[in-house]
Amino acid sequence: MNPVNYLYLAALLFTIGAAGVLIRRNAIIVFMCVELMLNACNLAFVTFSRMHGNLDGQIIAFFTMVVAAAEVVVGLAIIVTMFRSRHSASVDDANLMKL
Amino acid sequence: MENLIGLLVAVPLLGAAILLTGGRRLDRIGHWLGTILAAVSFGIGAVLFFDMLGKSGEDRAMYSHLFSWVPVGGFQADIGFQLDQLSMTFVLLISGVGTLIHIYSIGYMEHDERRRRFFGYLNLFVAAMLLLVIADNYFLLYVGWEGVGLASYLLIGFWQNKPSAATAAKKAFLVNRVGDVGLSIAIMLMFTTFGTFSFQPVLAHAGDASEGKLTAIGLMLLLAACGKSAQVPLQSWLGDAMEGPTPVSALIHAATMVTAGVYLITRSGAIFNGAPDAQVAVVTVGAVTLLFGAIVGCAKDDIKKALAGSTMSQIGYMIMAAGLGPIGYVFAIMHLVTHGFFKAGLFLGAGSVMHGMNDEVDMRKYGGLRTYMPVTFITFGLGYLAIIGFPGLSGFFSKDKIIEAAFAKGGTEGWILGGAALLGAAITAFYMTRVMLMTFFGEKRWEADAEGHEPHPHESPKSMTIPMIVLAFGSVFAGGLFSLNSSFLKWLEPVTGHEEGHSPLSATTVTAGTMVVLVIGVALAWLMYGRRAVPAVAPRGSLLTRAARRDLLQDDFNHVVLVRGGEHLTRSLVYLDHSLVDGAVNGTAAGVGGLSGRMRKLQNGYVRSYAVSMLGGTAVLIAATLLMRAV
């Protein structure tokens, strides 16, 4: 199968993720969309690795997963804390820093 | 001997310091102290004079360097004195006439409780004027110049409780400032041109400078002279300065202050010799002023103001003579000295009349005073004969020489100047005869004032009459003495230089012409004021008379052109400031404020908006990178 198709899929997934980040208000959904974008990148990395025949892309994909796992821990903790204090997970409600 | 030069200034200056800081303890002896110190200064001057006479013409100048005042790199200002024949003439005139006026003031200011202070100011005036004439550089001369301005301000406004006196003092000071600016600019120009402002190097190298620079320096010096010597266009302060006590007027008009301008121009002769255009300006100013002052003098009923117009006119003669160049310098100074005698005498006489008439100054309220004040009448009369140029008296010799020199200028210019000088002589004869007739002849016209005090004219005390008698002697004999063997000419020639003019008219013709206009002037005055009774209330008069009563509209001119013009200028500047400068500042502020108000709306606090901008930015960057690659 032509590996370019994987790239199309990665672009599609990234676009879905980006659109989700931009238009959804629920922090959990936004968070999930971010994950989707990260994984779209991973897919693109792996595909390029395959196309160019070296392992750099695969290694970076592993790095991304590790960093994403750490980010999920911190991000979910923030969202849970926010929900506890404000009884809402909407990103628009978090506007304390706004003038 | 050289060490004595500094004392000339130091002695009266010490007097001023003691009298002004000594307090009431000195009230009883203050006037004596001031007079004695002025006399000591005159004595030192006399000693130096006789010492100078013992030397030959070229070696007579004495120099005394005290210390370096401002030694900064190439800029060198020294406290040093130069006493040559020109300075010596002034020293004797200033300290001599000054001393006589001090003596006179003892009597004149007897009932003034601030007499001690008055003498302190008089000493300061004399000291400043002496410093002005014995300085050996323009920088130190400027110090004396300003000192004279300060002292005149203090003395004109001596009766400061009178608003008119306070205003007159301010006016004199301000008008003088205009001239002072001219002097300071001239000194700066000298420094940039010659690298120094000491008399000797500047005057020795004046020929090396370009004519343009010399003309600029000359015009600035002329502006300075106009201020101090009350020449058109800076003449307006002199008439109002009559608000001061009469001895002050005598001092300002005869010995100090107004003579400073003539001194400055004569001293800077080398500069003017190299700048014919500046000389034309000088003679024009002189000729205009001599007619201006004479016309004003004809219309004034206030005896002091009539004499003030006369001073302006006579100084005009001197400035004109000084502007004629080497043919005129000596005669300018000679007229200055003789004028110093008779004008001081006339003012002291006027003061004596006022003293006897309850300080009345209106000549229409005098009349027939010759029998009541014989000494004043005779001394004033001799001064009068001297100023109109009666043959044999001082004014005759000095004024005649100036008129001759004016004709000797040659060409159309010579005829115009000579004609103006002759016309001035006729008007002088007219207005002085008018003063004489209205004051001392005719019927008595005084009456009781509003409170019922009728004046009792009486002769003044000895302290006042003796100086008048001494000055009358000067008025009579000085001119003849100076002309004997051309002694004054020989005395001054080594300093100022002299050339014989080539007049188209012979000396006899000029003298005869002067006599004719003199007789016409006197006769006209007699017809108008001697044969007919003088009305006690001034008649309406012709247009010219009314204009002359208002000083030929000088104040109106200043008001319309300078005051109104200045107001309009400042108003438009304020408007420009508000609209342009403030407008730019406020506009910028408002623009920045409005713009930032709009920019603020971008910061809406929604995370997704920021994410959009980040995404958009990234997309733009990637697109740009790809585009660059493609190209």
Side-chain angles (χ1 to χ4, degrees), chain A residues 57-93:
Chain A
Q58 311 245 8
I59 291 167
I60 291 188
F62 278 113
F63 273 115
T64 312
M65 282 181 216
V66 172
V67 173
E71 180 236 326
V72 165
V73 173
V74 177
L76 277 177
I78 292 173
I79 292 170
V80 169
T81 317
M82 217 165 75
F83 185 78
R84 275 193 187 160
S85 58
R86 315 179 136 249
H87 304 288
S88 153
S90 169
V91 287
D92 288 357
D93 289 345

Side-chain angles (χ1 to χ4, degrees), chain B residues 96-112:
Chain B
V97 174
T99 305
L100 290 175
I101 291 171
H102 273 79
I103 297 172
Y104 178 90
S105 304
I106 294 175
Y108 191 84
M109 300 298 281
E110 197 175 358
H111 305 296
D112 196 302

Side-chain angles (χ1 to χ4, degrees), chain B residues 293-294 297-298 306 309-310 313-314 387 427-435:
Chain B
C298 291
S310 151
S313 167
Q314 299 300 316
I387 193 174
I427 307 179
T428 305
F430 174 80
Y431 69 71
M432 282 314 297
T433 312
R434 175 175 173 271
V435 169

Side-chain angles (χ1 to χ4, degrees), chain A residues 3 7 41-54 57:
Chain A
L7 288 182
C41 292
N42 275 351
L43 183 57
F45 274 127
V46 173
T47 310
F48 282 126
S49 172
R50 173 92 181 168
M51 282 166 74
H52 294 295
N54 64 18

